[in-house]
């Protein structure tokens, strides 16, 4: 649906979060090894922004995904699968002239040399998103609008759209959340890519960025404080520090650091999106900075202990009990596959640290 067509339709219902971005059908290997050697693949879905929407919906929030897909079977699969998570997909446009993006990846950690990923997304339906081809009312229907640095790398039109949404103006309604998600390969060697991401992040209200991303994209080293110095504008800046934890900076408050959890990792994909979902969930609930970080770590731990990008989050009461642990008890937690299904009944927090 175009923005013009949407103007004549009823206004979309208000939701907690709107996520804008491309989702693709993902082909996951049946076993570890080079793509050339893997005999078969399972089908899944992947997309940073839709991952966040699905995780938030699974956690009990209302979420809407805004995007475009082809009129092909892969587009049908994406819309149907994301919708089954409880995400509103009514603002997803269908493009009869462009395909839905797909990609293949190996089972190896994406940070190792053995990891391979092959995208077939050039000329995809989502890459043609622009201010005139998406439902403008749907984009402003949430308390939070979640974006990432992947979308502006897809095309000039996508960049124009994200620039418009990140532009600071008095009538901007949703809180704009921006995950930097620096993917050098998507910028096709464009030297301006890092500068574009920095400019977009400066316009957002809430920004997620990893220490490694800041170093790779902007040459900023020296820890979270140095990154905050490079990004003073956002009201909230979350600096992810890998397996050590994360630090949140907020205007008028001291920075807060919370350690990450020890996790028996099944697959490293999807953890960043899950962390953002956990942090946004706690933000919607009005929780403290420390609790927001803890809920981000818990949602990331759920994603790390399953094979794909998306995981069943812990029940809210269970997550709240774990997030309330003191630092010593939090430090003794070790989470493995199946931990989100383990909900202790009538137990004290000291017993919960033995969650498998």
């Amino acid at each position: 649906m175009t923005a013009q067509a949407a103007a004549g339709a009823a206004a979309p219902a208000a939701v907690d979060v709107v996520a804008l971005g491309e989702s693709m059908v993902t082909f996951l290997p049946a076993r570890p090894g080079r793509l050339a050697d893997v005999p078969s693949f399972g089908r899944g879905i992947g997309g940073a922004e839709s991952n966040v929407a699905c995780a938030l919906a699974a956690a009990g929030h209302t979420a809407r995904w805004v995007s475009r897909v082809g009129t092909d079977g892969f587009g049908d699969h994406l819309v149907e699968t994301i919708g089954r998570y409880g995400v509103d997909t009514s603002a997803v446009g269908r493009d009869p002239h462009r395909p839905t993006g797909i990609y293949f990846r190996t089972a190896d950690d994406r940070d190792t040399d053995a990891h391979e990923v092959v995208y077939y997304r050039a000329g995809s339906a989502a890459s043609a998103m622009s201010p005139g081809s998406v439902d403008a009312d749907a984009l402003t229907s949430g308390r939070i609008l979640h974006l990432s640095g992947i979308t502006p790398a897809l095309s000039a039109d996508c960049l124009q759209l994200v620039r418009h949404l990140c532009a600071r103006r008095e009538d901007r309604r949703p809180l704009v959340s921006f995950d930097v998600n620096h993917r050098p390969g998507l910028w096709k060697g464009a030297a301006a890519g890092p500068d574009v991401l920095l400019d977009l992040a400066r316009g957002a209200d809430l920004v997620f960025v990893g220490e490694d991303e800041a170093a790779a994209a902007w040459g900023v080293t020296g820890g979270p404080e140095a990154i905050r110095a490079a990004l003073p504008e956002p009201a909230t800046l979350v600096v992810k520090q890998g397996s050590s934890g994360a630090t949140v900076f907020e205007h008028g408050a001291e920075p807060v650091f919370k350690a990450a959890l020890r996790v028996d990792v099944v697959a490293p994909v999807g953890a960043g999106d899950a962390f953002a979902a956990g942090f946004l969930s706690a933000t919607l609930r009005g929780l403290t900075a420390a609790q927001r970080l803890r809920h981000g770590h818990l949602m990331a731990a759920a994603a790390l202990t399953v094979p794909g990008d998306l995981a069943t989050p812990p029940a809210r009461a269970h997550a709240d009990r774990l997030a309330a642990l003191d630092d010593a008890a939090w430090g003794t937690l070790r989470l493995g596959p199946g931990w989100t299904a383990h909900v202790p009944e009538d137990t004290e927090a000291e017993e919960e640290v033995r969650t498998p």
Side-chain angles (χ1 to χ4, degrees), residues 2-333:
T2 65
Q4 291 78 9
V15 294
D16 291 329
V17 174
V18 174
L20 168 79
E22 179 172 36
S23 189
M24 294 174 290
V25 173
T26 310
F27 289 93
L28 310 171
R31 70 183 190 196
R34 299 186 312 147
L35 288 178
D37 300 327
V38 175
S40 61
F41 296 79
R43 186 179 65 175
I45 63 171
E49 302 84 2
S50 60
N51 285 348
V52 171
C54 289
L56 284 165
H61 297 280
T62 52
R64 175 172 290 125
W65 174 48
V66 179
S67 188
R68 290 179 68 79
V69 298
T71 54
D72 46 35
F74 289 143
D76 294 341
H77 176 65
L78 282 175
V79 173
E80 292 166 5
T81 303
I82 293 171
R84 282 198 293 270
Y85 279 89
V87 176
D88 182 340
T89 61
S90 60
V92 177
R94 306 300 295 260
D95 191 327
H97 306 295
R98 298 178 178 86
T100 303
I102 64 173
Y103 75 99
F104 296 77
R105 67 169 174 81
T106 56
D108 305 285
D109 188 332
R110 71 172 46 161
D111 292 328
T112 70
D113 291 338
H115 180 72
E116 296 175 78
V117 58
V118 180
Y119 292 101
Y120 297 90
R121 74 195 310 177
S124 69
S127 71
M129 288 189 297
S130 68
S133 69
V134 294
D135 187 338
D137 289 335
L139 289 173
T140 58
S141 62
R143 294 168 58 191
I144 295 174
L145 171 62
H146 183 67
L147 311 168
S148 90
I150 295 173
T151 305
L154 300 180
S155 69
D157 284 341
C158 284
L159 173 56
Q160 182 186 10
L161 173 60
V162 178
R163 279 197 189 281
H164 170 73
L165 296 172
C166 286
R168 291 190 178 275
R169 51 187 179 273
E170 291 184 4
D171 64 342
R172 190 167 81 178
R173 282 189 292 158
L175 181 150
V176 175
S177 166
F178 183 77
D179 191 336
V180 171
N181 250 324
H182 178 231
R183 305 284 177 85
L186 289 179
W187 292 96
K188 299 179 177 63
D195 291 337
V196 168
L197 292 175
L198 186 60
D199 183 55
L200 294 171
R202 285 174 169 159
D205 303 302
L206 165 58
V207 172
F208 299 95
V209 63
E211 273 189 314
D212 54 345
E213 291 179 304
W218 308 319
V220 177
T221 57
E225 289 76 13
I227 298 171
R228 181 53 159 172
L231 268 174
E233 296 88 353
T236 304
L237 172 67
V238 181
V239 179
K240 297 176 289 183
Q241 297 162 258
S243 60
S244 65
T247 300
V248 60
F249 296 85
E250 295 186 286
H251 289 164
E254 291 296 315
V256 175
F257 170 83
K258 285 298 173 184
L261 290 156
R262 291 182 299 159
V263 178
D264 296 328
V265 177
V266 172
V269 295
D273 302 331
F275 179 91
F279 191 94
L280 291 176
S281 173
T283 298
L284 287 162
R285 296 171 60 201
L287 302 186
T288 67
Q291 291 169 326
R292 283 177 272 156
L293 289 173
R294 286 265 179 97
H295 278 276
H297 290 318
L298 287 164
M299 198 80 89
L304 288 168
T305 51
V306 298
D309 287 17
L310 294 167
T312 300
R316 183 172 292 183
H318 187 199
D320 283 345
R321 287 195 293 269
L322 294 180
L325 293 172
D326 61 32
D327 287 344
W330 177 265
T332 67
L333 280 171

